[in-house]
Amino acid sequence: MGQLITRINELSRKHKTEGLTPEETVERDELRKKYLENFRSNFRQQLDNIEFVDEPQEKKQ
């Protein structure tokens, strides 16, 4: 994941300074897609591991 982010950042900096070749643009788009897939998967796992716990509340009269 770290290498993926590093390469995305390299391509982003290059895009801002000198522009990307068509091949680099395709690579950047593929890397971004992989990153988002990985992020969504990890986020989904975190959500799936959340356990809601409600303590029973006593009725007040």
Side-chain angles (χ1 to χ4, degrees):
M1 187 73 156
Q3 292 175 342
L4 188 69
I5 293 171
T6 300
R7 183 63 180 151
I8 290 170
N9 288 336
E10 288 172 0
L11 291 171
S12 178
R13 281 191 290 277
K14 185 175 179 187
H15 174 70
K16 290 177 183 177
T17 57
E18 59 190 85
L20 298 175
T21 66
E23 293 84 16
E24 289 170 328
T25 302
V26 169
E27 179 187 5
R28 180 192 63 185
D29 293 344
E30 289 173 359
L31 292 173
R32 285 179 175 176
K33 183 177 178 181
K34 286 180 188 177
Y35 173 80
L36 287 175
E37 288 172 359
N38 196 338
F39 177 84
R40 288 180 183 125
S41 173
N42 289 339
F43 190 71
R44 173 60 57 195
Q45 286 178 339
Q46 287 179 352
L47 291 177
D48 289 343
N49 288 328
I50 292 175
E51 183 177 327
F52 293 98
V53 179
D54 288 333
E55 293 185 26
Q57 296 182 6
E58 297 179 21
K59 293 184 179 179
K60 294 183 180 180
Q61 296 183 12

